[in-house]
Amino acid sequence: MAEINPSAEDIRGMLTEALGRLRKAHTEYFDLLERGLSSSPLPMADQAKQFCSFMQRNVNATFDLGDKLVQAKDAQDALKLQTEFFQGQIQALTDQARSAGESAMKAATGMFGQKN
């Protein structure tokens, strides 16, 4: 029979197990998505692959935060982890926006560049 009042370690173990299952499902989903994009004849497939890579990075960062939060000692530790995560995500978003903008400019230049 299930324990009515699980200990903090039991809860951490359950959360760690759940995060592991979610990571596995995430990996399988993105593998499937990447295979689909690789076989796509659409001209925007490269940009879609880049966007998919951004999504993967962001989801992995979120899973990493979950792993760290499961091990947090107290609320102050959890708040520190969340603050660091948020700062990292802002930086990643900035980098991703820059990269996507550069990619879009290259694609636009290729589509509307001079023709001889």
Side-chain angles (χ1 to χ4, degrees), residues 9-10 13 17-18 20 22 25 28 31 34-35 37 46 50 52 56 73 79 82 87-89 92 105 113:
E9 286 306 311
D10 290 341
E17 184 180 327
L22 286 171
E28 291 171 358
D31 286 347
E34 286 178 12
R35 282 196 303 268
L37 289 173
D46 287 337
Q50 183 182 33
C52 182
Q56 266 187 301
K73 297 174 201 91
L79 183 60
Q82 288 177 325
Q87 291 171 341
Q89 286 299 97
M105 289 300 292

Side-chain angles (χ1 to χ4, degrees), residues 47-77:
Q47 286 77 17
K49 287 178 194 174
Q50 183 182 33
F51 183 70
C52 182
S53 173
F54 294 158
M55 287 189 315
Q56 266 187 301
R57 184 253 168 237
N58 295 337
V59 171
N60 282 330
T62 303
F63 282 133
D64 291 344
L65 172 65
D67 288 339
K68 291 175 184 176
L69 286 174
V70 166
Q71 300 303 320
K73 297 174 201 91
D74 53 29
Q76 186 176 1
D77 192 25

Side-chain angles (χ1 to χ4, degrees), residues 86-107:
F86 181 72
Q87 291 171 341
Q89 286 299 97
I90 293 296
Q91 182 61 48
L93 178 62
T94 302
D95 295 344
Q96 291 168 1
R98 182 181 314 112
S99 180
E102 290 170 359
S103 180
M105 289 300 292
K106 286 178 187 175

